[in-house]
Amino acid sequence: MLDATLKSQLKTYLERVSQPIEIVASLDDGAKSRELHDLLVEIAGLSNLITLSADGTDARRPSFSLNRPGADISLRFAGIPMGHEFTSLVLALLQVGGHPSKASAEVIEQIQALEGDFTFETYFSLSCQNCPDVVQALNLMAVLNPNVRHVAIDGALFQDEVESRKIMAVPSVYLNGEVFGQGRMGLEEILGKIDTNAGARQAEKINAKDAFDVLVVGGGPAGAAAAIYAARKGIRTGVAAERFGGQVLDTLAIENFISVQETEGPKLAMALEEHVKQYDVDIMNLQRGEALIPATDGGLHEVRLAGGASLKAKTVILATGARWREMNVPGEQEYRARGVAYCPHCDGPLFKGKRVAVIGGGNSGVEAAIDLAGIVAQVTLIEFDSQLRADAVLQRKLHSLANVKVITSALTTEVVGNGEKVTGLRYKDRTTDEVHDLALEGIFVQIGLLPNTDWLKGTVELSPRGEIIVDAKGQTSVPGVFAAGDVTTVPYKQIVIAVGEGAKASLAAFDHLIRTSAPA
């Protein structure tokens, strides 16, 4: 199961374990149970503090629990946590074994103070880069508070549960048998949903903060770069981010970030946040901008947040990024996460052996179709234009796949379903106006991005596409308010460009501060 290098690395990590760990496996006679047993034997052999028992009685097989003798911890993996979830397994072993979490003391105290009964079930796929954040957050909560129980379930191995619960997107989280949430959620976000007083406490703290010299709204590559460049100038810097990392968190392979040959979105997002934390930056996560009130008569700009708090600053850098563009056709919202998906890497395994469509013939759409072709029975790629717009090398790969069909000059008009899940797609041939129906089980939408500027309409000047119009220095139409990254009119939405634009906007904001604060 584990190659020599991985085994050596894991052994080094397990040296940090200070308390005994009991692994209790529930197995059957299947191949996957034998595979899991082999993995657990290898892990147990790497530390004298780990014992393994195959006497588990859990109904989900293969599965295993991690326990600490004398402690009340309910933490279980149903499946074989390799792929993206191997890190979740390693962290769970360390935390059950007494190694402290990197979570802040305030967050740990909040978890330990939770009262009630919280039984979480998380359905994941091994190829989902969003799932580990959720699994790791809930595992930590289960370690720290006996009122919290968590089982992480590989949806590909427990298809009967996936079908009965009509799960068509991961991660999908259930709390006490009811749907709790879908998609990426961090520890603080989960706590905010179950600790009903957390939002009010956070708003009170934010309202009490002094004004910033530079306030960055957004925590993606542009926002992170802006914060670092501002903090390096020694000025008071704050970051209000709905989720630190932004779109990067939803990106799988990154191979064009200069000096980093290859990485994954969540890893890069973590590196960005850790870099920002090296400086004196006040990071306020899970905070979404709701209104910008520009300064008057040389005063302060104000950013009102969705949670009820507000922040003031001498200068503001808007780096709120973009989100997936939707088709805006009947049925799309009704069947979102019930067959309509936006992340082929995350949700593709749930459609194994089924028929799916990919909407969009650009690089993202063609790459999605190529990836899905190795999982599903049939992929139909639908493109509005008369030809695909993806790079030639991707098109050649696409056309070489036997289970891929390409339809051009097609306008998607409706997502069809049976009230519970997607059953098909309706489109119009733009050359003949003839309407066609496709029978399928999944639709992956890959038609570009929309800037997150709805909250800025009427405040800063926007382009017809809704992007913030900026000059060469990132200055918006409002003096002292700058913008950077995918939310702006700057062409080519790339991570490396967003980083540069964030740095530039921050330098421009600093220059603005110098000039406006200088004595006459």
Side-chain angles (χ1 to χ4, degrees), residues 174-241:
Y174 286 73
L175 171 58
N176 298 335
E178 302 293 330
V179 175
F180 176 76
Q182 289 179 324
R184 176 185 291 274
M185 290 182 287
L187 180 58
E188 293 177 355
E189 186 175 355
I190 293 170
L191 283 172
K193 292 184 70 172
I194 62 176
D195 185 353
T196 54
N197 295 321
R201 292 197 303 268
Q202 183 69 5
E204 185 177 354
K205 290 181 181 179
I206 290 175
N207 284 330
K209 293 180 183 292
D210 294 332
F212 293 97
D213 292 312
V214 173
L215 173 63
V216 181
V217 185
I228 289 170
Y229 268 72
R232 285 174 63 86
K233 295 295 185 181
I235 57 180
R236 179 167 163 75
T237 305
V239 176

Side-chain angles (χ1 to χ4, degrees), residues 98-129:
H99 188 70
S101 163
K102 290 185 178 180
S104 69
E106 182 180 5
V107 168
I108 291 174
E109 183 179 347
Q110 186 180 1
I111 294 170
Q112 292 173 331
L114 288 173
E115 296 181 355
D117 184 24
F118 306 97
T119 298
F120 287 99
E121 299 166 288
T122 302
Y123 291 87
F124 66 85
S125 72
L126 296 179
S127 60
C128 170
Q129 73 270 23

Side-chain angles (χ1 to χ4, degrees), residues 39-369:
L39 172 64
L40 298 178
V41 167
E42 287 188 73
I43 291 173
L46 297 177
S47 172
N48 293 330
L49 289 174
I50 300 177
T51 58
L52 171 63
S53 166
D55 298 332
T57 59
D58 193 81
R60 291 189 180 100
R61 296 167 184 260
S63 68
F64 65 97
S65 63
L66 299 180
N67 310 300
R68 182 192 307 155
D72 186 4
I73 296 174
S74 180
L75 188 161
R76 174 175 295 276
F77 287 93
I80 307 171
M82 297 299 289
H84 286 290
E85 292 302 337
F86 186 69
T87 301
S88 301
L89 171 59
V90 174
L91 285 174
L93 287 166
L94 291 176
Q95 290 161 2
V96 172
H99 188 70
S101 163
K102 290 185 178 180
S104 69
E106 182 180 5
V107 168
I108 291 174
E109 183 179 347
Q110 186 180 1
I111 294 170
Q112 292 173 331
L114 288 173
E115 296 181 355
D117 184 24
F118 306 97
T119 298
F120 287 99
E121 299 166 288
T122 302
Y123 291 87
F124 66 85
S125 72
L126 296 179
S127 60
C128 170
Q129 73 270 23
N130 292 326
C131 296
D133 276 5
V134 179
V135 171
Q136 291 165 22
L138 291 171
N139 281 348
L140 176 61
M141 291 171 62
V143 170
L144 294 175
N145 189 326
N147 296 324
V148 179
R149 290 165 293 282
H150 181 226
V151 54
I153 306 158
D154 183 356
L157 288 188
F158 294 89
Q159 283 286 332
D160 54 341
E161 293 187 38
V162 169
E163 293 289 340
S164 65
R165 281 181 156 171
K166 300 179 178 61
I167 295 170
M168 306 190 79
V170 290
S172 286
V173 183
Y174 286 73
L175 171 58
N176 298 335
E178 302 293 330
V179 175
F180 176 76
Q182 289 179 324
R184 176 185 291 274
M185 290 182 287
L187 180 58
E188 293 177 355
E189 186 175 355
I190 293 170
L191 283 172
K193 292 184 70 172
I194 62 176
D195 185 353
T196 54
N197 295 321
R201 292 197 303 268
Q202 183 69 5
E204 185 177 354
K205 290 181 181 179
I206 290 175
N207 284 330
K209 293 180 183 292
D210 294 332
F212 293 97
D213 292 312
V214 173
L215 173 63
V216 181
V217 185
I228 289 170
Y229 268 72
R232 285 174 63 86
K233 295 295 185 181
I235 57 180
R236 179 167 163 75
T237 305
V239 176
E242 187 170 3
R243 58 171 189 163
F244 209 99
Q247 293 175 61
V248 172
L249 291 167
D250 302 324
T251 305
L252 189 60
I254 298 173
E255 299 176 346
N256 56 358
F257 191 75
I258 310 307
S259 82
V260 180
Q261 292 185 18
E262 183 179 358
T263 187
E264 295 175 348
K267 290 182 180 179
L268 179 58
M270 185 181 297
L272 289 171
E273 186 171 6
E274 290 302 316
H275 195 174
V276 173
K277 287 179 177 178
Q278 295 300 308
Y279 297 92
D280 187 15
V281 176
D282 189 345
I283 299 176
M284 294 155 281
N285 212 356
L286 304 181
Q287 301 301 323
R288 177 169 54 84
E290 194 170 65
L292 170 65
I293 296 89
T296 57
D297 300 326
L300 298 170
H301 302 288
E302 181 181 356
V303 175
R304 292 179 182 169
L305 304 173
S310 67
L311 294 164
K312 294 184 177 181
K314 296 176 182 176
T315 61
V316 174
I317 298 175
L318 303 170
T320 47
R323 63 190 184 277
W324 289 114
R325 184 185 296 274
E326 298 175 347
M327 297 182 292
N328 292 319
V329 299
E332 180 177 16
Q333 293 304 321
E334 181 182 354
Y335 292 105
R336 190 183 182 110
R338 293 195 291 168
V340 176
Y342 300 85
C343 180
H345 302 295
C346 304
D347 301 330
L350 298 178
F351 294 84
K352 183 178 180 180
K354 297 179 180 180
R355 301 161 299 178
V356 305
V358 173
I359 312 300
N363 282 350
S364 296
V366 172
E367 287 174 349

